[in-house]
Amino acid sequence: MKQDPNQFVEQEANKIERRFKPHYHISAESGWLNDPNGLVYFKGEYHVFFQHHPYSAKWGPMHWGHVKSKDLVHWERCPIALEPGNDYDKNGCFSGSAIVHEDKLYLIYTGHVYTIGENEPDIFTENQNIAISSDGVHFEKYQGNPVIAAPPSDSAHHFRDPKVWKEDDTFYMILGNATPDEHGRVILYQSDNLLDWEYVGVLNDTKPLGFMWECPDFFPLDDQYVLSFSPMGLKQSGDRFANIFQTGYMIGSYDKDEHHLQAGQFYEMDHGHDFYALQTFEDDKHRRIAVAWLDMWETPFYEEADGWSGMLTLPRELSIGPDGKIWQSPVAELENLRLEEITHIQEHLNSKEVSLDTHQAEVLLKMGKTGNHQSIKITDQEDLELSLDFDHNNNKVALIRNGQVRRTNLEIEDTIEVRVFLDSSSVEIFLQGGQVTFSSRIFPVGNLKLTFENRELTDTDCVVYQLDQVIH
Ligand code: FRU
């Protein structure tokens, strides 16, 4: 028999190597983490659940890990909320969402079942389930699970990642899904009580955007509707620096009678190397807050050897910017992480270096636009080379991590504004007040050096804060 997963995680947490363990981002205490799940504000606290394999630092039968916070900054660990093991979730409690109903917290998640057995993981069925809690910490699976036993008849076996919301007196659920001829789409269900669900139809199936859409979310933002999801199987087109492993969104108009989203173009949400499975929620202040997995499938997990894998992004507030796209800014509460100002430079220099002896820092930088190219580099004592390159001639910005290029369009008028959050093994970059973001994993060793290559004389204003440790 397997040891209790909570005990196992605690015991392993004493043994793990902490050199790359985040100090203020959510990661598993030990073991594996992927998608954020069940983001919700309940009885005065923020809850974040996550896909979790407690028994090793590799992906395995999915549990739901759980942390909560009063301020989105300081996180408290809670017991594992969901364990697989019932007939309907035998091989995993996959991603899903949360909703508050009649003073209780409901988790809605996908049960994953291998049809033939664990040796044939590509042959599976998926269904949707509910678990309920009064205190927000202990959850009981609903006796009537699964609440949706099988996908609609015109569907492939991919049928997962329910996101639930309430509008007027009706609950709605969207699911990531695929057609039998392998086109990704999002389908919609409705219910009066969260327990009995009726299939409504296809919310959106814009083609071609991969063979399956994972982790969909659908929400109003500044009077428009946004559908976000993580498509599997995007193909390279045009720009060879485009990211085929990404999370993106479409903004559109939602016909509430037809239950169909007439959507515009698909845009990448974050342009870094590691950003997937975004989920959002609305908090008590009516902010639309998003968290994503700060990692990517089919990439190496360097920290696996240390006994843990995977981390989440900082919570970000979303809005629609003047360019009609989603802008993201770190929630205001994150300023409470600042301990002391370590550096402040304000100089007219051709090239300037700042040395940092911490890996937990926030950098606020303003740099006058000048010349054709400008860049900001982060290097360590070994071979880390991260470069944020501005190509003003072509209105492009790129983040290059040891030769791996991620690039997008950005026109700078006269000042480059950069806000960078560095934690033990991550970097999150917010440009021009959140118009463009880059999130990537990095594994720095020793002191860091920031170098500003301005190419010509210009104004530079740079403040660096040491940040607090708020989670282990
Ligand atoms: C996305 C995903 C989801 C699934 C979960 C399994 O990263 O593949 O579609 O529910 O991870 O851990």
Side-chain angles (χ1 to χ4, degrees), residues 34-218:
N34 58 292
D35 314 351
N37 293 156
L39 305 180
V40 71
Y41 186 76
F42 176 59
K43 296 189 176 168
E45 291 177 311
Y46 295 95
H47 292 259
V48 172
F49 301 83
F50 51 85
Q51 289 285 280
H52 181 34
H53 185 226
Y55 296 109
S56 87
K58 286 188 198 300
W59 189 87
M62 283 291 110
H63 296 54
W64 275 36
H66 184 194
V67 292
K68 63 177 185 163
S69 168
K70 291 197 168 39
D71 60 1
L72 285 170
V73 179
H74 300 84
W75 295 97
E76 183 189 326
R77 296 213 176 264
C78 300
I80 285 171
L82 295 176
E83 282 182 53
N86 294 73
D87 286 347
Y88 51 84
D89 62 15
K90 225 182 12 211
N91 302 109
C93 300
F94 273 20
S95 285
S97 54
I99 191 166
V100 180
H101 176 48
E102 293 174 345
D103 225 25
K104 293 198 168 71
L105 185 56
Y106 282 64
L107 304 183
I108 302 95
Y109 70 96
T110 296
H112 190 78
V113 179
Y114 295 134
T115 319
I116 302 178
E118 284 164 41
N119 296 332
E120 297 282 358
D122 291 337
I123 305 175
F124 56 79
T125 58
E126 293 184 319
N127 57 68
Q128 316 313 324
N129 303 293
I130 299 269
I132 304 166
S133 170
S134 303
D135 64 0
V137 176
H138 303 94
F139 290 85
E140 292 258 342
K141 290 181 188 172
Y142 170 55
Q143 293 288 332
N145 280 343
V147 292
I148 307 179
S153 55
D154 66 339
S155 158
H157 61 312
H158 293 286
F159 178 57
R160 59 179 173 272
D161 310 338
K163 173 71 198 253
V164 169
W165 73 97
K166 192 178 182 189
E167 214 171 290
D168 302 325
D169 287 330
T170 308
F171 295 99
Y172 292 95
M173 177 198 296
I174 48 163
L175 284 152
N177 184 232
T179 57
D181 62 348
E182 302 203 322
H183 287 291
R185 63 179 187 177
V186 167
I187 54 175
L188 180 73
Y189 285 73
Q190 67 178 34
S191 167
D192 294 333
N193 59 6
L194 280 172
L195 304 174
D196 304 298
W197 292 91
E198 178 195 343
Y199 181 54
V200 179
V202 176
L203 180 74
N204 190 277
D205 59 356
T206 300
K207 296 184 190 67
L209 271 174
F211 65 83
M212 160 66 188
W213 294 359
E214 295 192 305
C215 302
D217 202 341
F218 185 54

Side-chain angles (χ1 to χ4, degrees), residues 361-381:
E362 179 186 347
V363 182
L364 291 165
L365 176 74
K366 279 192 185 160
M367 201 160 89
K369 175 182 174 183
T370 183
N372 299 335
H373 284 94
Q374 287 174 285
S375 75
I376 300 155
K377 293 198 185 340
I378 301 181
T379 47
D380 71 351
Q381 305 289 293

Side-chain angles (χ1 to χ4, degrees), residues 1 20 70 117 119 133 212 254 268 270 293 393 426 438:
M1 224 183 83
F20 297 131
K70 291 197 168 39
N119 296 332
S133 170
M212 160 66 188
Y254 180 43
E268 185 171 17
D270 179 290
W293 183 33
N393 275 352
S426 63
F438 288 97

Side-chain angles (χ1 to χ4, degrees), residues 20-35:
F20 297 131
K21 196 93 184 4
H23 286 197
Y24 61 91
H25 285 79
I26 297 166
S27 62
E29 196 171 1
S30 69
W32 166 276
L33 163 152
N34 58 292
D35 314 351

